[in-house]
Amino acid sequence: MHHTPTSVRDQRLQLHYAAGLLASTAHSLLAHASDDSHSALNLRADGSAFATQSLNASGLTLGLQLDTLQLRWRDDAMAPPSQSLDAHSAAAPQTFALPGATVADAYRWLNASRPANTPQINARTFPDFPAHALADGATFDRAHADVRIALGHTYAMAGQIFSGLHVSPGDASDWSESPIRLWPHHFDLGLLITLERPDHQIGVGLSPGDSSYDQPYFYVSPYPQPPAGALLPDWQRDGHWHSEGFCALVLTEQEWTRATGHPRVGAERFVRAAVARVVSN
C-alpha cells in the first residue's frame, strides 16, 4: 500500500505522543535518575510494542501495542500471585484503546487505573516536542496500522544491530555500553558508548525521522562534539556527515535501502564502520 509522506509523518507523531504517555507515567511513579533514564522505554524484540521499565516490585509495566494503539498495564509473568496487579490497582479496565480518544482521555484512564497508593500521573513536557493536532485536543487515529508496524520493524532492526556492537572493529576493546533504550524526548532508539579515553563517548541511535530528515535515519555522534566549522574525518562510505544542529555520521532510510538489497546489511555495515571511524579519530 502506498502512503504519502504526510500520512507516514502523522503516524510517527501519533506514536511519539503515545510514547509520551508511557514516559509521563514512568516519570510520575519512579525515582528520577540524573540521566533521565527512568522515563526511557523498552522495545519488544520484534518491534511490536513499547513498555516502561518496571514500575514496582512486582514488575508492573505500562505498554503500548503499536498496531492497535492500545495501552495496557501488565505484571511481570514471574511475579508472585500475591503481588498481582489486580490486588493493587483501582477497579478500572486494565487496557485502553487510544483510537478515538484524546491525550486528556488517556490521562484520565491512567489515573483511574493506576495502582493504589501511587502518585497521580501528570503529563510531562519536553522542550521542542514536535507539534501535532493531538496537543490541541484531536483524537488518536487507528488508520495506517501498517505504517506503525513498519516503524516498529525498523526499530527492531536497529535494536538487533546495536546489541552486537561489542564486536565492532577498531580499537575500542575497552568500552562500556549503556542499555539500549527508546528515549521519549526525541523518540530515538539508542545507546551511549563510553570509551576508555576520559570524557569521550559515542552516541549511536536510530531516529524515526524529525525536522532534520523526514524519514528514519541512523546516527553515530561523537562526544564532545567537534567545534563548529571543524574539519571532519574523511568518510567514503554510504551515508554522510551531518553538521547542522548536531554533528554525526548519518545514514537515511533512503540511503540504506539504496545501498543493498537487504536493509539490515547496509544499515549494519554503516553503523559498525561509523563507530570504528569515530573511535579511531
Side-chain angles (χ1 to χ4, degrees), residues 147-185:
V147 173
R148 300 191 296 274
I149 292 169
L151 183 56
H153 289 165
T154 301
Y155 276 125
M157 179 183 73
Q160 293 163 6
I161 292 171
F162 299 160
S163 65
L165 278 181
H166 61 282
V167 296
S168 292
D171 59 357
S173 57
D174 293 315
W175 68 10
S176 61
E177 299 176 9
S178 68
I180 300 167
R181 302 286 194 207
L182 184 72
W183 296 90
H185 183 186

Side-chain angles (χ1 to χ4, degrees), residues 1-5 7-8 11 142-148 150:
M1 180 183 297
H2 175 72
H3 295 283
T4 66
S7 64
V8 172
Q11 291 306 308
R142 72 174 66 251
H144 306 305
D146 56 325
V147 173
R148 300 191 296 274

Side-chain angles (χ1 to χ4, degrees), residues 49-186:
F50 305 145
T52 65
Q53 298 169 63
S54 294
L55 299 172
N56 62 14
S58 69
L60 173 67
T61 63
L62 177 67
L64 171 72
Q65 191 72 25
L66 271 60
D67 57 351
T68 59
L69 285 178
Q70 185 179 71
L71 297 174
R72 180 184 181 187
W73 294 106
R74 182 170 182 170
D75 273 346
D76 189 294
M78 301 303 292
S82 62
Q83 294 182 322
S84 68
L85 174 60
D86 291 340
H88 291 278
S89 62
Q94 299 307 298
T95 62
F96 183 79
L98 287 173
T102 65
V103 169
D105 292 334
Y107 279 109
R108 279 190 284 271
W109 171 77
L110 285 169
N111 279 301
S113 61
R114 75 181 192 270
N117 303 315
T118 57
Q120 178 169 312
I121 297 169
N122 296 311
R124 182 181 182 188
T125 58
F126 291 100
D128 62 29
F129 202 77
H132 190 272
L134 285 165
D136 298 319
T139 58
F140 286 91
D141 179 3
R142 72 174 66 251
H144 306 305
D146 56 325
V147 173
R148 300 191 296 274
I149 292 169
L151 183 56
H153 289 165
T154 301
Y155 276 125
M157 179 183 73
Q160 293 163 6
I161 292 171
F162 299 160
S163 65
L165 278 181
H166 61 282
V167 296
S168 292
D171 59 357
S173 57
D174 293 315
W175 68 10
S176 61
E177 299 176 9
S178 68
I180 300 167
R181 302 286 194 207
L182 184 72
W183 296 90
H185 183 186
H186 294 123

Side-chain angles (χ1 to χ4, degrees), residues 104-269:
D105 292 334
Y107 279 109
R108 279 190 284 271
W109 171 77
L110 285 169
N111 279 301
S113 61
R114 75 181 192 270
N117 303 315
T118 57
Q120 178 169 312
I121 297 169
N122 296 311
R124 182 181 182 188
T125 58
F126 291 100
D128 62 29
F129 202 77
H132 190 272
L134 285 165
D136 298 319
T139 58
F140 286 91
D141 179 3
R142 72 174 66 251
H144 306 305
D146 56 325
V147 173
R148 300 191 296 274
I149 292 169
L151 183 56
H153 289 165
T154 301
Y155 276 125
M157 179 183 73
Q160 293 163 6
I161 292 171
F162 299 160
S163 65
L165 278 181
H166 61 282
V167 296
S168 292
D171 59 357
S173 57
D174 293 315
W175 68 10
S176 61
E177 299 176 9
S178 68
I180 300 167
R181 302 286 194 207
L182 184 72
W183 296 90
H185 183 186
H186 294 123
F187 205 30
D188 56 330
L189 181 77
L191 73 156
L192 193 66
I193 298 171
T194 300
L195 303 178
E196 191 175 41
R197 288 173 286 167
D199 301 322
H200 279 70
Q201 296 177 315
I202 303 172
V204 183
L206 172 89
S207 168
D210 53 25
S211 59
S212 295
Y213 301 94
D214 197 18
Q215 60 180 301
Y217 65 91
F218 284 93
Y219 62 84
V220 175
S221 185
Y223 293 97
Q225 294 264 285
L231 183 64
L232 298 171
D234 186 49
W235 182 255
Q236 298 294 332
R237 297 171 174 265
D238 295 326
H240 61 279
W241 279 106
H242 176 98
S243 57
E244 186 176 343
F246 65 94
C247 180
L249 281 165
V250 162
L251 183 77
T252 65
E253 183 177 47
Q254 186 177 46
E255 288 172 326
W256 82 63
T257 54
R258 185 176 58 211
T260 178
H262 192 287
R264 177 168 172 173
V265 173
E268 185 165 13
R269 183 170 56 216

